[in-house]
Amino acid sequence: MDSETPSPSCSTSSDDSSSKPNNRLGSCEVCSKQNARYCCPRCEIKTCSLNCNRIHKLEVECNGIRDKTKFIPINKFTNLDLASDYRLLEETTRVVEVSKKGRSGLGFPLNKRFRRLEKEALKRKMVLKFLPKTFVRHKNNSTYFNIEKELIEWHVEWIFVNSENFKISENNVPENVRLSLLLDKYLSKQEDVELQEKLQYYQSADLPGIKILLQAEQKSGKKFYELDPTFTLKDCLKNKIIIEYPVIHLVLKDHGNCYDIVDSDDEDCKREVQNRGKSGEEVINKIIKRAESDGSLYDSFRNLMFATEGSNEDSD
């Protein structure tokens, strides 16, 4: 019996020491049976075990990831919160600057040729995006900016829908030529017998009997813009998002009713053109100006940012 006496004593001592940090968090907010051991970084619910933690995530639909933009009252704002906000601003600035210096809208690095194309498209109020270099569509893209002529010479994919989606890929298509002229060579008689057979219905219908549709990118479902054949390719692509190169569908008007046609000006594209024209500094300044309009909260936050460690110690 004497040899067993220290055992409860040791156990009690161990429980007391381990319970100190748990008592600080209080009891588990899920089971209410044990002292809490963990605090969720996102919703701050206290739990005692992995099982209770899983239950709380299911009940409140919490992912357990701290919300970096969560509002914190000024009286609870700490140096850790200040450091977190500063890192968030730095990360935001870095992402904006990297995007501006040479990444496509889909987030992949671009070489010099595609960066120039992206820039020239933006001047024409188009948003040109690129796929990773391993994609076939990117490999096939022969579009380039002709420096001497100062115009974009496009790679264009024509799809003749009523000829079993027959595709013709055309290179070096100048942006300053009207669509009617670009299509004229396909609507006239072809020397190639096989090509003539595939295009005979379109030649019979001629331009007035054909709908020219541009595939609308980044839209839910399959949507199209209807293009005016009297416009140049440049005018047709204005205020549009283009991924790699334009894909133009040619449909006989009798079959055109089954296509979902959207407005010719893409509002998402307009917004993206405006945003891409801004530097990272302008974006941060816009955030700061908005915060300034909120008044005292921003003033208090600004004071904290420029406070020294010595002043913090004095205030304590």
Side-chain angles (χ1 to χ4, degrees):
M1 290 294 291
D2 290 331
S3 61
E4 295 177 358
T5 306
S7 181
S9 172
C10 291
S11 175
T12 304
S13 173
S14 173
D15 290 343
D16 290 342
S17 62
S18 63
S19 64
K20 286 181 181 179
N22 297 338
N23 288 335
R24 179 174 60 85
L25 295 176
S27 60
C28 175
E29 296 180 26
V30 176
C31 67
S32 302
K33 296 178 180 179
Q34 304 288 337
N35 289 328
R37 293 173 178 267
Y38 315 104
C39 179
C40 177
R42 188 173 187 88
C43 62
E44 298 182 356
I45 287 181
K46 281 78 175 175
T47 54
C48 66
S49 63
L50 184 60
N51 188 45
C52 285
N53 185 44
R54 287 172 179 165
I55 292 171
H56 113 266
K57 285 183 177 181
L58 291 173
E59 286 183 345
V60 300
E61 296 182 353
C62 173
N63 59 13
I65 301 173
R66 186 176 66 85
D67 184 1
K68 295 180 181 180
T69 60
K70 180 183 177 182
F71 173 75
I72 301 174
I74 197 66
N75 60 337
K76 295 184 179 179
F77 202 89
T78 66
N79 286 336
L80 287 175
D81 298 316
L82 173 62
S84 175
D85 285 355
Y86 184 75
R87 284 194 296 269
L88 179 61
L89 288 172
E90 278 190 325
E91 183 180 350
T92 303
T93 306
R94 180 186 60 79
V95 170
V96 171
E97 290 300 329
V98 167
S99 176
K100 186 175 176 59
K101 286 179 182 178
R103 287 179 176 268
S104 75
L106 298 179
F108 301 99
L110 298 176
N111 61 28
K112 186 176 180 180
R113 170 192 155 204
F114 290 118
R115 285 202 303 270
R116 181 64 184 266
L117 270 174
E118 187 181 45
K119 183 179 178 181
E120 293 297 330
L122 200 59
K123 288 180 182 177
R124 292 157 173 77
K125 299 191 182 303
M126 312 170 196
V127 173
L128 182 58
K129 300 186 177 185
F130 301 95
L131 297 166
K133 60 183 180 181
T134 54
F135 279 53
V136 173
R137 191 169 172 180
H138 183 78
K139 291 178 180 179
N140 292 340
N141 189 1
S142 61
T143 306
Y144 74 99
F145 178 69
N146 190 318
I147 298 175
E148 292 182 2
K149 297 179 181 179
E150 293 190 348
L151 56 82
I152 297 176
E153 297 195 359
W154 288 95
H155 176 105
V156 177
E157 187 172 281
W158 308 97
I159 299 181
F160 295 84
V161 177
N162 299 104
S163 294
E164 299 179 345
N165 289 320
F166 177 62
K167 295 180 183 179
I168 296 178
S169 293
E170 187 175 353
N171 301 326
N172 306 325
V173 180
E175 63 179 344
N176 57 353
V177 178
R178 294 198 308 270
L179 281 184
S180 57
L181 293 177
L182 293 175
L183 287 170
D184 186 58
K185 58 180 170 289
Y186 300 119
L187 300 181
S188 56
K189 190 172 181 179
Q190 305 294 312
E191 293 182 2
D192 186 303
V193 177
E194 186 179 352
L195 184 60
Q196 172 63 29
E197 185 179 350
K198 289 184 178 296
L199 299 180
Q200 60 181 328
Y201 297 114
Y202 289 91
Q203 292 167 1
S204 300
D206 205 10
L207 196 59
I210 299 172
K211 273 192 174 185
I212 307 172
L213 306 176
L214 174 70
Q215 184 173 319
E217 306 288 1
Q218 296 187 197
K219 298 284 185 184
S220 58
K222 204 165 186 178
K223 295 182 171 59
F224 297 85
Y225 305 109
E226 185 167 3
L227 305 182
D228 189 332
T230 63
F231 285 11
T232 64
L233 184 59
K234 176 182 175 181
D235 292 332
C236 288
L237 299 182
K238 185 178 179 181
N239 294 323
K240 308 290 191 301
I241 295 174
I242 306 296
I243 296 180
E244 293 291 348
Y245 49 80
V247 178
I248 298 177
H249 294 241
L250 303 168
V251 186
L252 298 178
K253 280 193 174 177
D254 294 340
H255 300 266
N257 296 331
C258 58
Y259 284 81
D260 190 356
I261 310 296
V262 295
D263 186 61
S264 58
D265 285 339
D266 192 329
E267 294 300 325
D268 293 335
C269 176
K270 288 181 179 180
R271 283 192 293 270
E272 195 158 344
V273 167
Q274 292 175 352
N275 291 335
R276 287 195 181 199
K278 296 177 182 177
S279 65
E281 185 178 353
E282 286 176 318
V283 173
I284 296 300
N285 286 337
K286 186 177 180 181
I287 294 171
I288 292 174
K289 283 181 180 179
R290 189 180 300 167
E292 282 177 331
S293 65
D294 292 340
S296 58
L297 176 62
Y298 173 72
D299 292 334
S300 302
F301 176 73
R302 183 177 56 187
N303 291 336
L304 276 172
M305 284 187 70
F306 293 101
T308 62
E309 290 183 5
S311 62
N312 289 335
E313 290 173 0
D314 293 339
S315 62
D316 291 336

